[in-house]
Amino acid sequence: MRFVLVLMGFILAALAPAGAAHTPTHVAAAPRADQPRPLGHFEDWTAATHLEGGHTVCYAFTRVRNSSLKIPGRGEVVLTVTERPTGRDMVAISAGYPYGAGAVVRVQIERAAFEFYTAQRSAFARDGHAVVAAMRHRRDLVAHGPAPHAGQVGDSFSLRGFDLAYAAIVKACPAK
C-alpha cells in the first residue's frame, strides 16, 4: 500500500505544471496553546502541563499495570494527580468504563486505605493530600471497584517514579 501511495505521488508530480512541484500542498498548523507540554518521564510516570481557562494545570499520570478482570471494550485505565490554582493534590482514577450510581472504589497503598467517590467513568479521592502522602516513597497502589456487570475489578498501578513526577508538577505549578 505504501508503495502505491509513493508511486501515485511521483506520477502526480510528473504531471503537474512546471513550478507546481515545489509548491507546498499544506502548511503545518501552529501548535495550540492548550496542548499538553511534557515535563518528563519518570520511570512509570509521566508529568505534563496544559492551559485551562488561561491557567496552567500540572498533572502526573501512570497507566494500569495489570487488572484482575478482563472487561471487553474497556477504555484506558489511568491514575492521575493534578495541581490546579483552585485545587491541590487532586487524585483520580479513570476506570475505562462507567461506574454505577453511588459506586465506591477502595484504594490500598500498603497499609493505608482510602475510599474514592465515583462520577461517570472516574473515581476521585475525598482527601487528595492524604492519598498523595501515602503514595510517596511507596511501590504500588491497588484500586478495587465494581465491575460493569457484576463482581469486582482490582487495578494495580506502579508508584515507581511518582516522587520525581510529583516534584516536577509541584515545581511547575507551585502553591500560591
Side-chain angles (χ1 to χ4, degrees), residues 118-149:
T118 60
Q120 299 173 19
R121 301 172 71 87
S122 297
F124 303 94
R126 295 182 191 283
D127 183 352
H129 301 298
V131 174
V132 167
M135 290 170 64
R136 306 223 33 212
H137 312 296
R138 300 299 190 270
R139 296 167 92 131
D140 299 294
L141 179 150
V142 180
H144 298 279
H149 301 293

Side-chain angles (χ1 to χ4, degrees), residues 7-150:
L7 182 61
M8 287 178 60
F10 282 125
I11 292 171
L12 290 174
L15 295 176
H22 299 290
T23 304
T25 56
H26 71 282
V27 176
R32 292 179 18 193
D34 62 347
Q35 293 286 62
R37 185 177 63 87
L39 295 174
H41 296 282
F42 307 92
E43 294 185 58
D44 295 331
W45 283 76
T46 300
T49 67
H50 73 272
L51 287 179
E52 184 178 275
H55 299 284
T56 300
V57 174
C58 300
Y59 57 98
F61 67 93
T62 189
R63 288 177 173 77
V64 70
R65 184 176 47 212
N66 59 52
S67 295
S68 65
L69 190 63
K70 297 289 183 206
I71 300 170
R74 187 177 191 188
E76 270 198 282
V77 182
V78 181
L79 170 62
T80 307
V81 175
T82 306
E83 304 295 331
R84 285 187 166 85
T86 58
R88 309 295 295 173
D89 295 347
M90 299 163 62
V91 183
I93 299 170
S94 174
Y97 61 85
Y99 287 111
V104 173
V105 172
R106 288 176 177 70
V107 171
Q108 191 77 37
I109 307 166
E110 291 185 15
R111 293 187 188 128
F114 303 93
E115 280 194 356
F116 282 38
Y117 67 94
T118 60
Q120 299 173 19
R121 301 172 71 87
S122 297
F124 303 94
R126 295 182 191 283
D127 183 352
H129 301 298
V131 174
V132 167
M135 290 170 64
R136 306 223 33 212
H137 312 296
R138 300 299 190 270
R139 296 167 92 131
D140 299 294
L141 179 150
V142 180
H144 298 279
H149 301 293

Side-chain angles (χ1 to χ4, degrees), residues 42-46 138 158-166:
F42 307 92
E43 294 185 58
D44 295 331
W45 283 76
T46 300
R138 300 299 190 270
S158 169
L159 296 178
R160 289 181 26 186
F162 172 72
D163 291 332
L164 293 172
Y166 182 72

